[in-house]
Amino acid sequence: MTDTTANNAPTPSYVLAHHPVRDMLTGSVASIAFTFLAVLAVGLLWVGPKFLSFGNISIIGSFLIVPLVVGAFAGFALLSGVVDLSIGSMVGFSSSLFGLLLTMGWDPAFAAPVTLAVCLCFGAINAIAIVGFGAEAIAATLGMLVALRGISWVLLGSQGAIFSFNANLFALINQPVFGLPLFFLLAIVLTIIAAIIVSKTRLGRHVQAVGGDDRAASRAGISVRRVRVTALLLSAFGGGLGGIIYAGQLGSAARATGVGLEFQVYAALMIGGYSILRGGVGNPIGGALGLLAVAGVANILDLKAISPYFVNIIVGLLLLAAVLLDRFRGGDAYE
């Protein structure tokens, strides 16, 4: 082959398909980043500097601690191709059990590991049903959602609430650092760690491979069953940890704790680039930005004394936009 022929040879399609700048600007993390920046701009223009004051960000951060923690762990299940609908009820059950143990005189340092261990047992039941017996993930975790909610009601008793205020735990969770809640900053750090695991480690690559195409992953020597079991256990652990934080943050547990949290988290994760219908697509940074964007919209409406029901309309439109953007990208997983 002559030099002229080599120079005139067509550029392979895969070279054209992947351009760093274009990928950065059109990827799903970029999409939600632009949305988040737009929310910040609207907040500053409409509300004013108060929107980005430490006091207001602290309020938003306090409400986002548990959703950020739960979303960081639940994202692994979504990436592996499994939708865990039981995360909200897992939070409610965890807060109920943890609160009950505190009222019985348990030290939080002992009550927390026991609570997490029980939550992992329920996560293992999900894994056995889905991975072991091949049950549909939505059906199996929906059953777990209902069961855990019932168990929580039993633990809470006829009053429907447990008051388990622990001064040291409350002070720790609500302790301010640089004007922001300590656990909010820890939740951000946890999200960054999850993003590093997803994008830079062998476990993250295996989770994405299993979610993207489990048959191809199996042929490549990846244990699909082990990956999905691990992802479901991580999802249960995140729900358990969220419940403990709620109980310590509020000093109580109630029947309403965690109700609807699964929809709040999954809506934000989808807005942030995850896919409910197929695995292998998503990044914890995008999920966190989705939660921050939705919380920012809710906060703007609250500061302007506008009905909070409009948040549902805006979130629905953002979800539709996220689905359309996903289709425009061709449904490809992103790095």
Side-chain angles (χ1 to χ4, degrees):
M1 181 181 292
T2 65
D3 293 339
T4 303
T5 304
N7 292 333
N8 294 331
T11 303
S13 59
Y14 66 83
V15 174
L16 294 174
H18 294 282
H19 190 281
V21 176
R22 182 172 60 187
D23 290 347
M24 181 178 66
L25 294 177
T26 60
S28 50
V29 172
S31 300
I32 185 56
F34 292 146
T35 303
F36 177 66
L37 291 175
V39 171
L40 292 181
V42 171
L44 285 172
L45 292 174
W46 198 10
V47 178
K50 177 183 177 182
F51 180 67
L52 290 182
S53 66
F54 275 104
N56 192 49
I57 295 176
S58 179
I59 293 173
I60 297 174
S62 296
F63 284 105
L64 280 182
I65 294 173
V66 173
L68 282 171
V69 170
V70 174
F73 284 97
F76 284 98
L78 280 184
L79 281 176
S80 72
V82 177
V83 180
D84 183 2
L85 292 180
S86 66
I87 54 175
S89 290
M90 191 71 75
V91 169
F93 165 77
S94 173
S95 66
S96 301
L97 178 59
F98 183 70
L100 180 62
L101 293 177
L102 291 185
T103 60
M104 296 170 60
W106 284 48
D107 188 284
F110 294 103
V114 171
T115 300
L116 290 174
V118 176
C119 290
L120 285 174
C121 289
F122 284 113
I125 294 175
N126 277 337
I128 291 172
I130 297 168
V131 180
F133 291 94
E136 287 292 334
I138 292 179
T141 56
L142 181 61
M144 182 61 72
L145 179 155
V146 177
L148 286 175
R149 187 60 60 188
I151 296 173
S152 299
W153 284 35
V154 171
L155 294 177
L156 294 172
S158 58
Q159 292 186 344
I162 293 176
F163 299 97
S164 54
F165 180 79
N166 183 283
N168 293 331
L169 185 60
F170 179 84
L172 175 64
I173 294 177
N174 294 282
Q175 178 181 349
V177 176
F178 304 116
L180 298 175
L182 170 62
F183 269 55
F184 173 63
L185 298 177
L186 292 177
I188 296 296
V189 172
L190 176 64
T191 300
I192 295 173
I193 293 174
I196 293 173
I197 292 174
V198 167
S199 59
K200 301 296 183 182
T201 69
R202 182 179 181 183
L203 172 62
R205 291 192 294 270
H206 284 187
V207 170
Q208 293 181 85
V210 169
D213 189 337
D214 54 359
R215 294 182 180 178
S218 180
R219 289 195 294 269
I222 299 173
S223 175
V224 174
R225 296 165 66 91
R226 184 180 302 169
V227 167
R228 284 190 169 147
V229 167
T230 301
L232 283 165
L233 290 177
L234 285 173
S235 182
F237 183 87
L241 186 58
I244 292 172
I245 295 173
Y246 257 149
Q249 186 181 37
L250 303 176
S252 64
R255 290 178 177 175
T257 304
V259 173
L261 182 65
E262 60 275 0
F263 300 108
Q264 175 189 354
V265 169
Y266 283 140
L269 291 181
M270 287 184 67
I271 292 172
Y274 283 84
S275 175
I276 293 289
L277 300 179
R278 56 195 170 84
V281 180
N283 187 290
I285 298 295
L289 287 175
L291 282 166
L292 288 169
V294 172
V297 170
N299 183 254
I300 291 172
L301 297 182
D302 183 55
L303 291 174
K304 299 300 292 186
I306 298 175
S307 173
Y309 296 118
F310 282 98
V311 175
N312 294 332
I313 299 175
I314 296 173
V315 170
L317 293 175
L318 288 175
L319 276 172
L320 289 174
V323 172
L324 291 176
L325 284 173
D326 185 59
R327 299 314 303 163
F328 289 149
R329 287 193 300 268
D332 293 331
Y334 61 89
E335 298 295 334

